Amino acid sequence: MSASRIPPIQCLLTFEALARLRSVTLAAEELFVTPSAVSHRVRQLEQIIGTKLFGRADFSLTTEGSEYLAHVREGLAILQKFPSAAAAPGKRKLRLAVTPTFSRSILIPRLRQFTDAYPEIDLTLQVSIPLLDVVAEDADLMVRFGAGRYADMEHVCLMKDEVTPLASPAFVREHGPFETPQDLANLPLLRSPLEPWRTWFAANGLDWPEPVEGSQFNDIGLMCDGAAAGMGVGLIRLKLGAPWLDNGSLVRLYAHNAPSPHAHYLCWRTGAMDRWEVAAFADWLKKAVG
């Protein structure tokens, strides 16, 4: 690498400050230089790398400027990490907040692929149930389960699913056969605010109200365990219920499914994707569950 192609550090610091603050005056105050010095350093940087970084007078970034900003922030973050016996050298910390059953059924079985591909990233997994206001505030990335209306976060849909009634083989032998949806009448229906029964009722021509009696669970995995223990019929997402279906502890009652009104979304705060480890995990997860 030619040293002449590496821009001066003051140019990079000035570019990052101006991109963040979008004001020559504020950038100058933060860096303790004159406004003209800010303008000069940015022009110098553009000449060195041979591309325009800012598009308009409001200091919005060009496409190239946005890409370069991510590299600059990554480089500055690395330079801010001093040698320390307390931390493994080169390890990047990534905090994930994940819903419990998504973690057990979807993420954990695939996670070895990511940790093998990115050994320099240390993952911290935290349980979160945002639909019920159980959240991890300090996470870099969050998996949320809901309708996708998240005004406070940037987000992308990770995984849609279909629901169908599941029960234990012993429960089906005792209460079956199940030939029509009406066969569920007077049976214990397990309930969860995460998965309303009316979705499946409506898709199967039943005008039944949402059940108001029966055991209730705030976690789909616990509901799967309850159904597998013979407590009743659970309305389960097929992808989340796959481990119980695969080991035979739950079986389908009917051949037809109904789309769930909810989906899993990957969410993050504005600016989080500027960190390469966050962007790397988000890209991997989208491909892994797609």
Side-chain angles (χ1 to χ4, degrees):
M1 179 186 292
S2 170
S4 62
R5 292 293 297 158
I6 301 175
I9 188 70
Q10 66 266 26
C11 292
L12 300 177
L13 290 167
T14 303
F15 167 54
E16 193 282 332
L18 187 56
R20 173 166 38 84
L21 301 170
R22 298 177 76 151
S23 163
V24 169
T25 303
L26 293 176
E29 289 174 359
E30 180 173 292
L31 298 167
F32 301 103
V33 297
T34 64
S36 62
V38 170
S39 301
H40 172 74
R41 289 177 180 180
V42 171
R43 282 197 303 272
Q44 181 183 359
L45 179 59
E46 288 178 332
Q47 289 171 356
I48 291 171
I49 67 175
T51 191
K52 199 161 180 60
L53 297 170
F54 294 97
R56 297 190 299 273
D58 66 350
F59 299 106
S60 58
L61 292 165
T62 62
T63 302
E64 294 81 4
S66 183
E67 291 177 359
Y68 193 57
L69 178 63
H71 295 311
V72 169
R73 283 179 170 159
E74 180 184 341
L76 293 175
I78 291 171
L79 291 175
Q80 287 172 336
K81 292 184 182 298
F82 302 109
S84 167
K91 284 283 188 179
R92 304 298 292 266
K93 305 294 183 183
L94 180 61
R95 294 162 302 179
L96 309 173
V98 289
T99 52
T101 311
F102 178 91
S103 177
R104 289 195 297 266
S105 296
I106 306 296
L107 179 60
I108 295 299
R110 296 168 169 82
L111 199 54
R112 174 75 183 272
Q113 301 168 10
F114 179 81
T115 56
D116 283 352
Y118 294 93
E120 68 273 35
I121 297 178
D122 267 345
L123 290 175
T124 298
L125 267 63
Q126 305 166 78
V127 169
S128 174
I129 314 175
L131 199 64
L132 305 179
D133 294 326
V134 181
V135 296
E137 295 292 345
D138 59 345
D140 303 307
L141 285 168
M142 289 139 278
V143 174
R144 288 186 173 186
F145 178 66
R149 292 184 289 271
Y150 306 124
D152 60 327
M153 293 271 179
E154 296 184 45
H155 58 276
V156 63
C157 183
L158 274 180
M159 191 177 75
K160 294 182 178 180
D161 207 344
E162 294 184 313
V163 291
T164 197
L166 303 180
S168 71
F171 186 94
V172 172
R173 284 194 299 270
E174 182 180 350
H175 298 280
F178 293 92
E179 296 171 346
T180 68
Q182 287 81 0
D183 292 334
L184 290 181
N186 302 316
L187 290 181
L189 301 182
L190 305 182
R191 300 179 297 140
S192 172
L194 299 164
E195 207 65 77
W197 270 98
R198 62 182 179 273
T199 302
W200 193 85
F201 290 163
N204 288 275
L206 300 175
D207 60 356
W208 296 355
E210 190 70 25
V212 293
E213 295 180 350
S215 299
Q216 189 163 356
F217 302 83
N218 73 352
D219 172 62
I220 299 298
L222 288 177
M223 188 162 68
C224 288
D225 288 338
M231 293 177 64
V233 180
L235 185 66
I236 310 295
R237 304 169 70 80
L238 287 170
K239 291 175 184 175
L240 291 190
W244 290 266
L245 286 166
D246 291 345
N247 67 24
S249 58
L250 289 178
V251 295
R252 300 176 61 114
L253 275 59
Y254 302 99
H256 41 279
N257 314 322
S260 171
H262 298 137
H264 285 91
Y265 294 85
L266 183 65
C267 306
W268 63 92
R269 292 182 179 82
T270 301
M273 286 295 171
D274 291 341
R275 292 169 47 201
W276 73 264
E277 64 270 26
V278 175
F281 186 86
D283 184 58
W284 171 82
L285 185 60
K286 284 183 285 187
K287 291 174 181 172
V289 304

